[in-house]
Amino acid sequence: QVQLADSGGGLVQAGGSLRLACAASGRSLSGYSMGWFRQAPGKEREFVGVISWNGGNTLYADSVKGRFTISKDPAKIMFYLQMNSLTPEDTAVYYCAKSKYYAGTIYPGDYDYWGQGTQVTVSS
């Protein structure tokens, strides 16, 4: 069983920064990529980025590339999403998720465990 707990959301002004955290626990984590997704009201869940288990490979959505960075703390099995230069369009509930596969993908259906979500609101 895998458990994911994401945190760190909040209210920030446009241009500001936030760092989200995802605490992962469970027996079936090792080797699998970890992703971040977001969902704004009335919209479908959207891929943000993904990191390989060893932290050596990352992939980002074009909308966040150059502003967001995913990292991993292997000692604590924690994953982070550093978000800089935030805009109101980044307002959403953000979720961390475990991939079903060693290689991460952009499709929500390829992820089998999800955090509860953390709200990020960017004011203009």
Side-chain angles (χ1 to χ4, degrees):
Q1 190 74 357
V2 171
Q3 292 185 326
L4 303 177
D6 33 36
S7 61
L11 174 64
V12 64
Q13 288 188 330
S17 299
L18 279 175
R19 189 177 81 154
L20 306 185
C22 177
S25 62
R27 297 180 59 185
S28 303
L29 280 170
S30 182
Y32 295 96
S33 293
M34 297 293 295
W36 285 96
F37 290 78
R38 67 186 181 185
Q39 189 165 18
K43 295 188 177 181
E44 294 185 352
R45 194 161 295 190
E46 175 188 27
F47 171 76
V48 173
V50 61
I51 188 169
S52 59
W53 178 254
N54 66 6
N57 293 294
T58 54
L59 176 69
Y60 298 96
D62 287 344
S63 59
V64 307
K65 199 174 297 182
R67 300 188 298 122
F68 291 12
T69 303
I70 300 176
S71 61
K72 178 188 176 186
D73 179 344
K76 299 179 182 178
I77 317 183
M78 294 285 294
F79 297 85
Y80 302 97
L81 178 65
Q82 177 66 44
M83 305 185 295
N84 300 328
S85 302
L86 286 161
T87 73
E89 288 68 38
D90 295 315
T91 294
V93 177
Y94 284 71
Y95 301 87
C96 63
K98 171 194 162 294
S99 176
K100 296 178 185 177
Y101 314 111
Y102 291 158
T105 77
I106 66 172
Y107 305 107
D110 289 341
Y111 293 77
D112 52 4
Y113 290 94
W114 294 81
Q116 79 282 5
T118 185
Q119 175 71 47
V120 171
T121 303
V122 184
S123 64
S124 57

